Amino acid sequence: MTELFEKSIHTLELPKVLELLAAQAVTEEGKRRARELRPETDPDEVAKRLKETSAAVDMMVLRGSPSFSGIRPVAGSLQRADMGGSLNTRELMDIARVLGAARSVKDYGDGDSDKKTVIDYLFRSLHPNRFLEDKITTSIVGDGELADSASPELASIRRHMRATESKVRDILQKIISSSQVKYLQESIITMRSGRYVVPVKSEHKNEIPGLVHDLSGSGSTFFIEPMGVVKANNELRELQAREEKEIDRILAELSAEAAAFKEDINQNYDLLIFLDGIFARARLSMNMHAMEPKLSGKSTVLRRARHPLLDQKTAVANDLSLGETFDTLVITGPNTGGKTVTLKTIGLLTLMAQCGLHIPAADGSAIRVFERVLADIGDEQSIAQNLSTFSSHMSNIVGMLEETDQDTLILFDELGGGTDPVEGAALAAAIIEYARACGALVAATTHYAELKVYAMTTQGVENASCEFDVETLAPTYRLLVGIPGKSNAFAISKRLGLPDHIIQAANERINAENIRFEDVLTKLDQQRQEMEREQQEAAKLRQEMEQAAAKAQEYRDSLQKEKEKNTAAAKAEARAIIEDARRTADQIFYELNDMKKKAKKEGDFQSVNDQRADLRRRLNEAESKLGAKEEAAPPPMVRPAQKGDTVTILKTGTQATVLSVNKDGVLQLQAGILRITAKQEEVRIVQGETQAQKEAKKYIQRSEHKLRSLGAKAEVDLRGMMTDEAEMVLSQFIDRAIMANLTQVTVIHGKGTGAVRKAVHAYLKRCKGVASFRLGRYGEGESGVTIVDLK
């Protein structure tokens, strides 16, 4: 990276964005690397970084952020341990925290193995060591103190020390409780030089025989070790020496075990720091509402792009492109109109993307990867070097042009400014032409009318302007590509109260050609505003028409539904009438049959049958006209039924089992307790679940399980609750954790009076879903939390 490229990075304010990135990192090393991040110039590497950021964003949306807290550098400690050195408790706890973080982050990465990402290999490369982690955390408790359980020898020594201390205190307590208390300055037991003593008044120092270990500053108090406790104190000192020796041995042993896994632990640390950086980029992306841009080999296209350092709620989003239909953009307009911000937005978003950061823009945005982004922005005047603004700018531009090639993005602010306008405009056009000839993409801001004409008349060069509202004397910060801007100096001066005769005098000093050109720009701007108003009105009318069409369709749908409802009601009423008529007819049939039995003549019997047939015919015709017998077409036959098949009888909808198939194709069926016969066309085989349906059901079950897992948390906070409330909340928490197949959860109950802790432990003892539980260790919350292992 050249000096000019590095200078341009600062000019475009990338370090400020990287400071925002560092704030999202958790580890100190991650913050340092974030501040030192620089743009990558290899398109493949840029694409890889962007995909890493996107993968982390997707993971955070589904699972939240992984934990990187408590991670500190361990390489130096491991190196010293590898050389035979003994680490202290703080260094060993740092190693344990790295191992613990590696374990939790690896579990986080394995949370959804079905979805593959570009950062999965980082999680797989972690090497947790639960044995060493637990050995360190169970051996070291409190602030650098070893637990009694660190070794059987240490436990035995400390047990003897407590017994000896108790013996010494008992002897001294007898002195304090006896008549000798009058010789003491205070009725207390204290220590001097690691030995238990009592404070004796100076005038009575000979009344209590023993060894003097100290004297108060005033000389009024002697700290004496009575002879009765000298032997016990000596024994205690011996035990203390043995304790220190055993502690040194345990620390050396733990150090040696850590050294044995030096490479894995160092690799874990490096991977965790790298992942911290990736997830910091993801958090910054979510805070900025940013997106992953596509990479283009030719052009930069920004859709609704916003400057990342401006307030994202108020920043004006602009569309712009460079390299598609034109390679040079000339931006004009009044001061404070947003020209420089637009220029910086192009450069800064390019640098952010090449750093692997998402950019605050809309979908469809694309970034071209450049070898260098060179910017000449701001006042470069240097008093120390005796350079004017123009000289300083030109010195900077000379260096930029020396490095320019087809892989360069060049940004010029007020190109050619600070000198004679005619010469400055001509020089600016020549500089742009040279940069274009080298193949670079160029964006430049200017006030020169000559450059506006140059952009209008040159192929591959496009005008753009920052809109300015003369009525309110305020910029709108909208970028208008394809339209040159006006300086609006006269209009602004008039609105601010400059007398008309002065403005008129100034106007007369402008040559006719410039006046005509400004008039053309004014008319163009008026036409643009008129077109925009017409477009807005057309859009409004189109929206109203769409709403009217939607309402009309809704009205038609409601009419159709009402029509169908009325038709159904009429048919239902008609069917009721027909049913009533049928019942009446059946009664008549019954009576006719009774009459038939009494009839003596064949003619009478035939007449009855004719009447019955005619009545049934008319009833069936009426029912057919009402559509009362609408029947759905039977499903197609898959294959002829065979012995053992389950079939559905089409007429009755009853399911039956095929007992046998006769030679003529007739089926013998078993339907409940009934045995019936049917033809092949009268039945359809009942199809079982297809393989695709079975797979779909499995997928739904897995999805439901994952949804339950997403709703479960691994931690609950019961602090501040009464015991009854805490037990109810804990019961619901354990149930959700078991349903989500969690294996270990944390219950935060605080220390306090211990009432909530007792209630929690009482519940956990009788809970069938709990395998075991324990109080937290050092670094986990100690007695303020309980770690629960679930079955």
Side-chain angles (χ1 to χ4, degrees), residues 85-141:
S86 180
L87 306 182
N88 58 39
T89 55
R90 183 188 60 79
E91 291 173 314
L92 289 169
M93 284 303 297
D94 286 345
I95 292 172
R97 290 190 188 98
V98 170
L99 292 173
R103 174 173 50 82
S104 66
V105 171
K106 186 176 181 64
D107 291 343
Y108 172 91
D110 295 338
D112 188 1
S113 57
D114 293 340
K115 186 175 181 180
K116 305 301 180 183
T117 71
V118 297
I119 59 175
D120 287 346
Y121 77 97
L122 296 172
F123 296 106
R124 290 195 299 268
S125 300
L126 291 168
H127 297 287
N129 188 332
R130 189 64 181 266
F131 174 77
L132 180 57
E133 176 194 348
D134 287 347
K135 190 169 184 179
I136 294 174
T137 54
T138 55
S139 297
I140 302 174
V141 296

Side-chain angles (χ1 to χ4, degrees), residues 590-600 605 608:
Y590 175 76
E591 293 176 359
L592 289 173
N593 286 330
D594 187 52
M595 291 173 62
K596 181 188 67 173
K597 294 177 183 178
K598 298 177 182 180
K600 296 180 179 179
F605 178 74
V608 169

Side-chain angles (χ1 to χ4, degrees), residues 207-208 273 556 707 768:
E207 303 297 332
I208 297 181
I273 297 301
R556 284 194 297 271
L707 286 173
K768 296 181 179 180

